Amino acid sequence: MRLVQFFYLRDRSRLSHPIALTPLLSYRRQPIRTAIAAVMVSLFGGALTPLPVQAQTAPYCQQSLAAIDQKEMLRQVATTGNKDAQKRYASLIKQHGERLQACRKQSWPQKQAIWLRLYPCDIKSGALEAVLDRIVNRGYTQVNVEAFYNGKVLLPATDNPTPWSSVLAGSRAENTDLLADIIRKGHYRGLKVYAWLFGMNFGASYVRRPDKQQTLARNGLGQTSLTANTIAGLSVELGAVNPDEAFVDPYSLQARQDYLQMVQAIVKRRPDGVLFDYVRYPRGYGAASVASKIQDLWVYGEASQQTLLQRALNYRGMELIQRFLGQGFITGDDLKDLNLLYPNEREPLWQGLNPARITTPLPIGRRVALLQSDLWQLSVAHATQGVLDFVNAAVAPVQRQGIPAGAVFFSDGNLSVGRNGFDSRLQPWDRFPSSLEWHPMAYATCGSANCVMAQIRRVLNAAPPGTQVKPVLAGIWQQSVSNRPPLEVQMQALQRTAPQIRSISHFAYSWQEPGSDNDRKFCQP
């Protein structure tokens, strides 16, 4: 046993990315662990005597280093087929899960989740177990697994009814149901496992298909999210952004049908919840981050335009909407044309318009200004309604199965800017159903937790009573990164700001465990 302890001490001296008072073993030390396991099997003939498990003493219900060492040792030996190790490992997993649940009941927050991406290499024996053990070790009670992202879906290639390729396609793991596996193995450890899905961001591979190009969201400049100068969202890779973003028209019937088919396939795996991300439009760069004119809005897709025209209540209204879309404005001549084209109608009408405000006796210049202002408000409302309709359609099959659903959003995605402008994402999260879990991404960067807390307070102030608000924090334990303070600093600030919050999450596993993520991403399954 002294030999084993000697290796453990050497291993500790090379730890990377420690977390608050509990340094976790680096994934890159696996060869040493394997050597230890082999020595133990040869010395004890498979009869393993585990080290005594120490109680959890670290903040946020993280496992003690001794407990982590013991579990990892047993996992390594268990993968060799040693029956005794497998039995003891299973017992220790259950013990750690029970301790974690007991700790969380007495600690703040009661629920703590982490966001995770899986790779084909995770089919390897013991790979998922190693990841989930690390998640439990860090005190997390839930894992949000990316099940649809960047135009790929986490379904077996042989059981994938969607138009998106499988994350596992082209690998020897393509027939493995990795989502079902992590749900089962997560539950075994007492973890909740949520499926995390991109929303209106369908991925470039989807929209480049000849039969799907009509689903693309378009603005009035003839651009799509593939050609416009947009800002991509955060990636699970630290310091990177999500590649291949491609947003669809939320009014596209084809896009909705394809998406619902995918959601239904995910729900069949019975995750503990489903979270919908990217329920918004692209964010423009620089001046394009503000939508202040009709051409800035992503309402020029075929389905969106047709639906907007259908919001007219008479032919005069439809004609003016059509001209506003095409020209970006209306003129006095346009109003005069209405008298010639539709002499039997008095005023242009559309949804939300108060005709009493637009009366014939007004000077024509004043009438043009009022109608143009109302057309702009109609167009903005139409764009945001598309997001709401998409969300409501997406969550329906989830909630019908009694599975919790949640929306992931930016607290500033619904802001008005200046007199007539709006954040280009047009994310009307304040109108999301209160039956959903609200997961605001508090990703502000100002070198302190103050701006992060300001974003969370804004959501709490807007949330209807009873809404489950579960903030998402980005960062790393004990390290500042990308002008963000360490996670424990953000956590302490959040507890002071909103002690009533019971559930939070951290983005992302790969930020905290870069060695584990890289090894799993680039290995050969």
Side-chain angles (χ1 to χ4, degrees), residues 410-483:
F410 290 104
S411 67
D412 53 355
N414 67 340
L415 287 178
S416 58
V417 183
R419 185 177 178 182
N420 293 309
F422 298 89
D423 186 292
S424 61
R425 291 169 289 188
L426 288 177
Q427 189 167 41
W429 58 262
D430 51 320
R431 295 171 59 196
F432 288 165
S434 59
S435 60
L436 297 181
E437 297 178 2
W438 286 17
H439 294 254
M441 295 174 283
Y443 292 172
T445 55
C446 61
S448 76
N450 294 337
C451 51
V452 177
M453 295 307 108
Q455 291 183 328
I456 294 172
R457 281 194 297 269
R458 185 169 188 268
V459 175
L460 291 173
N461 291 336
T467 306
Q468 296 186 61
V469 178
K470 302 182 175 183
V472 188
L473 304 177
I476 300 176
W477 294 102
Q478 290 189 331
Q479 292 185 45
S480 295
V481 59
S482 302
N483 207 27

Side-chain angles (χ1 to χ4, degrees), residues 294-310:
I294 182 64
Q295 290 91 340
D296 297 331
L297 300 181
W298 298 90
V299 297
Y300 287 81
E302 180 180 318
S304 185
Q305 284 199 67
Q306 290 178 354
T307 306
L308 180 55
L309 290 173
Q310 290 168 4

